[in-house]
Amino acid sequence: MQNTNQKDDPTASAPQHKSLFADKALDKTDNDKPVAPYQPGNQLPSQPDSQSNPQSKVADNNPLLSESEVMTKRSMSDILKDAPKTTLAEGEALKLAVVGHTNTGKTSILRTLLRDMYFGEVKNEAATTRHVERAIISDSQTGQALVALYDTPGLEDASGLMDWLEDNTASRRDGIDRLQYFLASDIASADVVKTNASTATTGNHTVNFKTIGQTASPANAYVEDYSQEAKVIRQLLASDMAIYVIDAREPVLGKYKDELAILSWAAIPVMPVFNFTDSQDTNINDWQTMLARRNLHISTRFDSVAFEFDDEMTLWRNLATMLTHPETLNRLIERRTEDWAQLYDEANIIIADFLLNVAAYVREIAEDDDPLPVLSEMKEAVRQTERAMQSQLLNLYKFYDNAAVATPLELHEYQQDPFDPELLKSYGIRTTSGAAAGALLGLGIDAAALGTTLGLGAALGGLAGGLLSNTSSIADRLTGVKRLYIDPATLTLLATRSLDLLTALRHRGHAATTDSPIAELQEQASSPWDAGKLPSELKKARSKPQWSSLNRGTSEQAQEMRADSAWSLSRKLRR
C-alpha cells in the first residue's frame, strides 16, 4: 500500500479497507496546496482595525506585513474552507491530528497505532516529516473508516510564531481568528523562503525583510518562514481533535508552553500523549504540573517502542471522554480489543502447528547405517521450519512483508541454533531419555531405546543435536529398522522460545529502526511443560508421520490433518 501526502492529487479516491491493522495512505487533504493570490476587495479575516482599536498592533506597523504590500493572501472562501468542523456526522471518520514539537515521535506513534512499520519516515533527526500524511483505521469487519489520523510536521519555532501573533493580532480576538489571520499572511506560505537578500519576490509582489540589529543589509536580513507551523495549524482547524505528542525525556521548556498556547486557540480537544515513557530519565511529573496549569488534565502514556495494548486502549478511552458523541471511538475500542485477541489466538495456532509438524517428523535408518548424515539433514530441516514459523508471526503482527524485504528487526535471541547444548542449558531444559547426563543436550539418541547396539550408542553419545529414536515397533526390530524423532527436550525448547518471540512481538511498537533489537529478554520464560511430559497432542504426532510436511509430504495436506490437534495444543500454549 502506498503512502500519500499533501503533494498528491486531492481527487484521488480512497480504497476500501478490511483490516484494522496497517490501513493507511488514503487520499490526502488539500492542506499543503499553494496559497491562493489575494484579490483586492477581499477583507482579510480577523484583521485588527487600528482605528477602532488603537491598542492593537496592526499590519501597518509591521514592515513585513504592510497592507499596501500584501502578497499572496488567501481569499475568504479559502480560509473558511479550513474552519474547524464542530460536529461529527454519523458514519464519518473522526479526524485526529497528531501534533507536537519536532522529533518527539509523532510518526513513530502513528506506526504503532496503525501496526505499520513503513508508514511515513522515521529518523533520529529533526523535521523528518515535511508534509501532512493521512492514514485510516477501519472497522476490520465492515471496512468502514473509523478514525482518520493526520501526521503533521514538527513545530519548529512556536516561540517565534507566538511573538509574531502577539505583534500582529489583537489579544482579545478569538484564537481561531488569530490563527486564520496568520494563515492568510505571507510567512505562512511555503513560497517565501529564508534568504540573505534584502528583498524577496514571489509572484508579482515584492516583500521587504524584517532585519536583525540596528541596520538592514543583505548580510543580516531575513524573512520569517513559518510554513511548517502553518501546515500544522491548517490541519488542526480541519480536525475534530488532536493529540499532542511529548517526549517524556525532555524537560519542560518555554517553547513547549508556547506550542500548547497556540494549539489551544484551535478550539478543539487536545490530549497530551507521553512518548518514550519506558526510559529511565523521564520528566512526566513536571510535565503534568505544567499541563494542569493550562487546564489539560487528561493525558496518557503511549510508548511507540515499548508497546502495551492496555496503554493504547487507555488512549482511545481518554479521547472518547473528550467527545460529546464518542460512539465512533467506542466502536473502535471494541473492534480493536476483539482483533487483538484474535491475533493472539492465531499466533498460538501457528506455533502449535509448527510443533506438531516437527514432532511428527521421522526418518528411518537401517540398524547398521551411519545415522550422522540423516541427523544432519533432520536438524537443518527443523531450523528452516522454525524460521518459516517466525516469519509467519512477524507477518501476522505486521512487522515486515516477507515477500518484499528482509526483516530489519534483530532476531538474535530467536535465531540461535536449537540444537546448541548451551541454549538448552540457558533455558534450564533437561532431557528425560536414558542416555548419560550431557549427551541429552546433544543428539540425544538413547542407546537403550535403540536396543543394545553399543556401537551406535557410543557413536551418538558425543554428538550435538536433539533427536530421539523410537523403536517400539516389534516389526521394526525384526527388520532392523530404526526410527529417529526430534528429542522431547528440543521440542520443549522450540515451544519455549516461540512463545518468547510471540511475547516480544505483542510488546513491540512499530517504530523500531534497523539497529533496534526486537526485544530484550530480562530472563528466560518458563517452559510451557516439563520436557519429560510432552502434551498428548505431541505424543500423538509421534505415531502420525503423515502429519509432517517434513516427511516428503504435501504441506497443505499435512496441515489439514493436524489442524484439530493444533487448535487443542494452542490452548495449552497460552500464557
Side-chain angles (χ1 to χ4, degrees):
M1 192 177 297
Q2 300 296 320
N3 293 337
T4 60
N5 56 44
Q6 307 295 32
K7 299 180 292 184
D8 299 325
D9 178 13
T11 63
S13 60
Q16 296 299 316
H17 296 276
K18 300 300 181 184
S19 172
L20 265 175
F21 304 106
D23 292 343
K24 64 178 179 10
L26 296 190
D27 56 314
K28 70 271 152 232
T29 67
D30 60 352
N31 198 13
D32 201 25
K33 61 188 178 184
V35 176
Y38 171 69
Q39 300 297 328
N42 286 347
Q43 177 67 34
L44 287 175
S46 309
Q47 184 174 346
D49 187 343
S50 57
Q51 296 180 355
S52 61
N53 180 20
Q55 296 180 351
S56 66
K57 299 177 182 180
V58 297
D60 287 335
N61 298 324
N62 188 331
L64 179 62
L65 292 173
S66 61
E67 193 169 354
S68 61
E69 294 181 339
V70 171
M71 69 173 191
T72 62
K73 302 298 184 189
R74 299 186 66 191
S75 67
M76 178 66 76
S77 60
D78 290 327
I79 295 295
L80 293 178
K81 186 160 57 177
D82 285 337
K85 190 164 186 171
T86 57
T87 59
L88 190 63
E90 183 177 356
E92 183 179 354
L94 176 76
K95 298 179 181 66
L96 178 62
V98 181
V99 302
H101 196 74
T102 183
N103 209 32
T104 57
K106 298 181 294 298
T107 301
S108 297
I109 281 182
L110 274 162
R111 285 183 171 186
T112 300
L113 289 175
L114 295 166
R115 313 287 192 263
D116 177 11
M117 63 184 299
Y118 295 123
F119 174 80
E121 184 177 6
V122 172
K123 292 181 180 178
N124 189 23
E125 60 186 50
T128 301
T129 301
R130 306 303 296 179
H131 302 280
V132 177
E133 293 192 45
R134 182 188 184 199
I136 291 291
I137 298 179
S138 302
D139 188 311
S140 59
Q141 294 187 12
T142 67
Q144 178 184 348
L146 297 178
V147 175
L149 295 163
Y150 294 88
D151 188 15
T152 64
L155 295 167
E156 298 176 358
D157 189 11
S159 295
L161 176 57
M162 178 62 80
D163 290 340
W164 187 94
L165 289 167
E166 292 293 331
D167 289 341
N168 294 278
T169 63
S171 59
R172 69 170 182 267
R173 292 199 177 261
D174 289 343
I176 291 179
D177 293 339
R178 301 177 77 177
L179 293 180
Q180 288 177 343
Y181 181 70
F182 157 67
L183 293 178
S185 69
D186 298 325
I187 62 172
S189 170
D191 293 334
V192 179
V193 296
K194 294 179 181 179
T195 180
N196 60 359
S198 60
T199 62
T201 300
T202 61
N204 298 321
H205 303 275
T206 300
V207 60
N208 294 322
F209 288 87
K210 183 178 180 181
T211 59
I212 303 174
Q214 300 299 319
T215 61
S217 68
N220 65 3
Y222 75 101
V223 63
E224 297 105 324
D225 176 15
Y226 297 114
S227 59
Q228 292 300 103
E229 283 77 8
K231 294 175 184 178
V232 178
I233 292 172
R234 288 192 191 101
Q235 187 55 59
L236 273 176
L237 295 179
S239 299
D240 299 302
M241 59 194 320
I243 60 175
Y244 175 71
V245 180
I246 300 170
D247 186 341
R249 302 166 297 185
E250 285 288 303
V252 178
L253 302 176
K255 60 184 179 181
Y256 301 129
K257 298 176 183 179
D258 289 336
E259 288 173 0
L260 288 167
I262 293 172
L263 297 180
S264 69
W265 292 353
I268 62 173
V270 176
M271 185 180 75
V273 174
F274 292 104
N275 195 10
F276 307 117
T277 57
D278 200 45
S279 172
Q280 297 296 324
D281 303 318
T282 62
N283 298 289
I284 294 179
N285 290 337
D286 294 341
W287 273 99
Q288 288 177 329
T289 299
M290 185 271 283
L291 294 172
R293 292 176 179 176
R294 283 155 179 78
N295 293 320
L296 294 171
H297 300 283
I298 299 179
S299 63
T300 191
R301 305 184 184 197
F302 186 76
D303 197 302
S304 58
V305 175
F307 173 72
E308 293 294 337
F309 183 74
D310 288 344
D311 289 345
E312 181 186 344
M313 292 300 100
T314 300
L315 184 152
W316 296 122
R317 282 193 290 266
N318 285 348
L319 286 173
T321 63
M322 304 170 75
L323 294 173
T324 56
H325 298 286
E327 294 82 7
T328 298
L329 286 184
N330 289 338
R331 181 179 171 189
L332 174 65
I333 292 169
E334 179 181 0
R335 190 68 75 223
R336 285 229 138 177
T337 302
E338 293 173 355
D339 290 345
W340 190 247
Q342 181 179 348
L343 277 179
Y344 187 53
D345 289 341
E346 292 178 6
N348 279 302
I349 290 176
I350 288 174
I351 296 173
D353 184 78
F354 156 70
L355 295 173
L356 291 168
N357 197 24
V358 173
Y361 187 25
V362 59
R363 292 289 298 274
E364 294 182 353
I365 60 172
E367 184 174 351
D368 297 330
D369 285 348
D370 181 2
L372 295 181
V374 175
L375 299 177
S376 179
E377 292 176 6
M378 294 184 73
K379 289 196 296 181
E380 183 57 29
V382 171
R383 293 188 192 102
Q384 293 182 8
T385 305
E386 184 187 33
R387 285 193 288 270
M389 178 275 299
Q390 292 173 346
S391 294
Q392 283 185 279
L393 291 180
L394 286 166
N395 281 324
L396 182 67
Y397 281 88
K398 304 290 186 180
F399 279 97
Y400 77 110
D401 182 356
N402 192 36
V405 295
T407 174
L409 301 178
E410 297 294 335
L411 288 171
H412 296 316
E413 293 283 350
Y414 313 99
Q415 291 180 338
Q416 298 180 52
D417 188 354
F419 300 98
D420 182 356
E422 295 302 318
L423 187 59
L424 272 173
K425 288 181 181 179
S426 70
Y427 277 88
I429 299 173
R430 301 181 61 85
T431 187
T432 56
S433 58
L440 299 177
L441 301 176
L443 285 174
I445 295 184
D446 187 353
L450 284 170
T452 58
T453 311
L454 297 179
L456 181 59
L460 298 176
L463 298 177
L467 298 172
L468 174 67
S469 75
N470 183 341
T471 56
S472 59
S473 170
I474 296 178
D476 289 346
R477 289 181 178 238
L478 292 176
T479 58
V481 174
K482 308 300 182 184
R483 293 186 178 183
L484 304 180
Y485 296 96
I486 300 301
D487 183 80
T490 304
L491 280 174
T492 304
L493 169 63
L494 293 172
T496 304
R497 76 172 182 175
S498 297
L499 294 174
D500 283 348
L501 175 59
L502 174 56
T503 299
L505 294 178
R506 285 171 58 82
H507 295 276
R508 173 73 171 185
H510 287 68
T513 56
T514 55
D515 57 353
S516 301
I518 190 169
E520 293 183 3
L521 300 180
Q522 300 300 321
E523 58 184 19
Q524 298 290 359
S526 60
S527 303
W529 51 71
D530 184 82
K533 298 179 181 179
L534 291 180
S536 58
E537 293 84 1
L538 294 180
K539 292 180 179 178
K540 182 179 180 180
R542 296 287 198 198
S543 62
K544 302 290 184 180
Q546 66 272 23
W547 282 10
S548 179
S549 61
L550 303 177
N551 293 327
R552 304 184 186 279
T554 303
S555 177
E556 292 78 7
Q557 292 179 346
Q559 187 173 9
E560 291 176 2
M561 293 178 183
R562 60 180 183 262
D564 289 341
S565 289
W567 184 90
S568 177
L569 179 60
S570 70
R571 303 296 96 183
K572 300 178 181 179
L573 296 174
R574 299 174 67 91
R575 289 177 171 175

